[in-house]
Amino acid sequence: MTDAREPAGDGAPARRAPGAPCWVSLMVHRPAAAREFYGALFGWEFRPGPQRLGPYTRAVLDGRVVAGIGRLPADRVLPVAWTPYLASDDVNETAESVRMCGGTVGVGPLDADEAGRLLIGSDPSGAVFGVWQAAAHLGTDVSGVPGAPVWNELLTFESAGVAKFYERVFGLEAERSLGDDAVTLRLGGRPVAGIRGIGSGLPRDRGPHWVTYFEVADAADAVRRLLDLGGRVLTPVTETPRGLLARAADPEGARFVLLQGAGR
């Protein structure tokens, strides 16, 4: 995950700058099965997390937290999906901005125990995202290593309109591609996320949605392990400017990308 942190004094860990992706979370029907799948795929271990929204665990890679897995509420019909969280200094103010700019707040704002404060919302296209106001939990501790989230991309109908929402709500800068319907969201000049318009190419059962990229050491080997664990390959390993990537889904259907970075 592209890092964008504010300076911290007295040797304290730095918190993410407002608007920066800071966490990814997966809500599933069978958390134990999800932990087994991702633990075997990425080498994650797990420790308890905040229980404010139900059973929740944090994935740990070499002692550092990288992601979260929770259980979907039984009374809600929601897609199983990875959700990125963007940093905020004041979730209440961000909630108002979301509403004023055409988005929807579905959950919160609310406290997640001592960890921080959050909301879950959707942009005007319907794509779900989270907002995180850090307290004890600052977010993902590590990036750029196998098993860690490295990028988030919004797949939507068209990029320009929805990019304005993220510009206005989170203060991100939108750099439009000349070659296709794509936008790079930047913070302080650094790329932090992408938006790609694919029109009718969106899956009918998903609509607009965010996809998290996870770094792997060897894309072909990761695909073999994923298949052995009951996952699905949506697109085979492909050479891209970013590196070798394969689009995949876990046994419950959550979509994500395996990325063997360009620096391989």
Side-chain angles (χ1 to χ4, degrees):
M1 184 178 297
T2 302
D3 219 352
R5 297 178 185 255
E6 294 181 328
D10 303 323
R15 70 174 59 235
R16 297 313 199 289
C22 61
W23 187 242
V24 291
S25 189
L26 174 66
M27 302 299 287
V28 295
H29 298 290
R30 301 183 298 277
R35 291 193 296 270
E36 183 177 353
F37 173 83
Y38 286 101
L41 182 61
F42 294 134
W44 292 350
E45 298 178 337
F46 298 90
R47 65 175 63 153
Q51 306 297 300
R52 181 68 173 81
L53 295 178
Y56 193 80
T57 54
R58 291 176 181 153
V60 179
L61 185 65
D62 295 329
R64 295 180 287 184
V65 294
V66 293
I69 296 178
R71 187 172 67 195
L72 280 168
D75 60 345
R76 296 193 181 186
V77 180
L78 297 169
V80 176
W82 281 100
T83 300
Y85 281 70
L86 307 180
S88 171
D89 285 340
D90 189 323
V91 164
N92 287 30
E93 287 187 3
T94 302
E96 289 304 311
S97 294
V98 168
R99 296 185 183 102
M100 289 177 62
C101 294
T104 302
V105 175
V107 177
L110 54 81
D111 292 325
D113 302 338
E114 77 288 348
R117 191 164 170 78
L118 66 83
L119 71 79
I120 300 172
S122 57
D123 65 29
S125 76
V128 175
F129 63 90
V131 180
W132 183 251
Q133 180 182 336
H137 174 59
L138 298 180
T140 301
D141 278 348
V142 61
S143 62
V145 301
V150 68
W151 185 250
N152 291 285
E153 180 181 60
L154 172 58
L155 301 181
T156 187
F157 294 109
E158 59 85 26
S159 64
V162 74
K164 293 178 181 177
F165 171 84
Y166 291 96
E167 287 181 287
R168 293 167 180 166
V169 174
F170 296 103
L172 298 172
E173 307 143 13
E175 179 186 25
R176 285 156 181 84
S177 169
L178 296 178
D180 52 14
D181 186 10
V183 166
T184 299
L185 295 175
R186 295 180 177 271
L187 182 62
R190 290 175 289 184
V192 295
I195 301 175
R196 189 155 58 94
I198 58 176
S200 60
L202 278 170
R204 290 187 178 182
D205 62 338
R206 290 284 163 173
H209 61 283
W210 283 93
V211 176
T212 297
Y213 287 53
F214 293 94
E215 183 79 21
V216 294
D218 185 313
D221 179 65
V223 163
R224 286 191 291 269
R225 280 186 284 123
L226 175 132
L227 292 171
D228 288 343
L229 293 165
R232 291 185 295 128
V233 175
L234 304 178
T235 61
V237 176
T238 304
E239 180 81 40
T240 74
R242 191 176 288 276
L244 294 174
L245 66 80
R247 297 185 181 273
D250 69 19
E252 283 201 43
R255 295 164 183 256
F256 60 97
V257 174
L258 301 167
L259 175 66
Q260 181 182 341
R264 62 188 185 282

